Amino acid sequence: MTLANRYWVLSILLLLGSIAPTHAAPTPVNPKVLHIINRLSFGPAPGDIKKVEAMGVESYIKQQLSPDSIPEPESLTRQLSQMKTLRLNPVQLLQYSTNIPAVKKPDQQEKKAAIKPAALIFNETIQARLLRATKSNRQLQEVMVDFWYNHFNVDAEKKRNRIWVGAYEQEAIRPYALGRFRDLLGATAHHPAMLVYLDNAKNRVSHSPGVNGKVAGLNENYARELMELHTLGVDGGYTQQDVIALARILSGWGVVNNKSQNNNGSGFVFNSKHHDFSDKVFLGQKIKGSGKAEGEEALDILARSPATARHISYKLAQYFVTDNPPETLVKKLQQRYLATDGNIREVLNTLFQSSEFWDQKNFNSKFKTPYQYAISVVRATDIELKNTRPMIQFFNQLAMPLYGCPTPDGYKNTKEAWLNPDAMTRRLSFATAIANGSLRISSIPPQQTLAQEKPPKPRKTIPPVGKGNLTTLKPTRQMKPRKANQSTPIDYQQLMNTLGNAFSPQTQKAIASSPPKIRSSLILGSPEFMQR
C-alpha cells in the first residue's frame, strides 16, 4: 500500500471516529479568524485570513451581514452577465421553452423540441450558483441562499421546474436571504416552482360534494409541508384539521397555464373559481372567507408563531454551530426572532455574538456536505471555474445533485448524513484530481462556451444516503485523471498558507513525510479540511 493510500485510510478512520484526533498545534493564525471564515463562508480563499485579521472579526461579521455594501469581482459580474436566461422571469422562461407541456404527459416529439431551451436554462442556473458560491465576496449571502433553498426545497425534476428553479432562487430566495422571514415565506409561497413541486397548483375546490364529506379536489401536500417543514416544525402543535383548513385557505393559488395568462411575469395566478370561500378556523384563529387575502393572513399567523421562531432558530444553530445545538442558544435565537418580527439578519448577528458560537469545542466541528466540500476545494485552490461538469458529476455521485433533492425536507447538513467510507473515497479521489491538475474545471470543454456546456442527464433515482448506501454509484469517466492537457498542479505551500496551516501534528507529520507531489492531495483530503 502506498503512503498516499495509507493516509487516506487514516483519514477515513479519523473521520469515522475509530481513531481520536489530537488537538491542533499552536499556529500563528488566530483560531477565531479561521472559525468565522469557515462558518460565514464556504471556506478560505487566498488572502481571506489576512483580510479578516486586518479588519477584525467584528468588522467582518458586520460587513457580511450587509452584502449590498460588498463589491463583487468584475470577472464574476462579467460571467453572470453572459447568461441571458438568468434575467428572465417565470413567464418569460415559459415562453422561451415553448414546447414544455404544462400538465399533460409530453410525447416524444414534444420532449425533443423542448430539450435544448430547457437544457440551456438549467445549465445556466447551475453555473450561476457555482460561480457565485466559489467567487462571490458576499459569502454569507451565498451560504444563506444554500441554507434557505434547502429549507424551502424544490426539486428541478418535478414537471416544468427544470426551467423554474433558477428563477425561484433568484426571485424568492436570494433577495430575502438576510431579510424578514415573512417576506421570504411569502415569496416562496407565491412562486410557481413551489406551487408545482408541492402540488398546490392542483389544490382546487370543485364546489361539488366530495366523497365522505371531504372537499372535492382539495390537495393537502403544500399545506402540510408549509407547517411541518417551512414554519412550525413537526412538533409545532398543529393538527390534521389545521392541515385541511390551510389547504382550503390556499385553494386556488396556482400557476399560469399559458404564456399570456400572467401579465406581471410572476407565474402566480389566483383562480377564484377554484377557491373555497367559506370561513375557516386555522390554529385556533378564525379566518373569514375573502379569497387570496386568506392566504396572506395564514402566512402572517405562521411567521409570527413562537413554534416557527423555535424551528428556524434550531436549524440555524445546527447549521452554524453544531449538529446538536444547545437549548440555551436555540432559546436566545428564538427570543431574538420574536423581538425583531423575524429579522433574519438580527437573528444571525445574535448567533454570531453568542458564547455557544465561540465555544472552542465547536471550532472545525461541522462535517462538510458534498456541496460545501467541493466549493471549499475550489475556493482554497483559487481555481477559475470554467467547466462545471466535473463538479456536477461529483455531486451526483455523492447523492447530492444540485437542485435535485426529491424530498421536500432538503439535504441534511449533519455528519451522520454524509460520512461513510465510499463517500470518503470519492472525496479523496476528487481532491487528488484537483490537486494534480487532472480535473480540468478551469478549461472550457472544446467547442463549447460557458453557456453551452451540456447539463447532467435527469436522474432516475436517488439512492438513500447513509452508511454503505453509496456503493452502487459508479465513478464516471470524466472523474478519471487525464494524461493530456492537464492544468498546473496545486502549490501545496500556497495551499497551506491559504488554510492557515491549521492542521493537527498528526496531519502535519503525514504531509511533511510525503513526496511533495502528493502533499496538496493530502491537505485537501485531510480530516481537518473535511470539517468546517
Side-chain angles (χ1 to χ4, degrees), residues 70-73 76 130-139 141-142 174 379:
I70 307 173
E72 289 285 50
L76 173 61
L130 295 179
L131 285 171
R132 284 177 169 131
T134 54
K135 293 302 180 184
S136 175
N137 292 328
R138 302 169 180 179
Q139 277 290 292
Q141 176 169 285
E142 297 310 311
R174 185 170 293 277
R379 284 182 57 76

Side-chain angles (χ1 to χ4, degrees), residues 49-69:
I49 290 177
K50 288 185 178 180
K51 179 179 71 175
V52 177
E53 285 178 331
M55 68 188 304
V57 167
E58 290 299 323
S59 295
Y60 178 72
I61 293 173
K62 184 178 179 180
Q63 180 194 62
Q64 287 297 315
L65 285 170
S66 302
D68 290 343
S69 68

Side-chain angles (χ1 to χ4, degrees), residues 151 228-233 306-315:
H151 183 81
E228 179 179 330
L229 299 177
H230 299 172
T231 55
L232 305 177
T308 296
R310 177 176 177 78
H311 182 55
I312 299 303
S313 297
Y314 181 90
K315 291 192 70 172

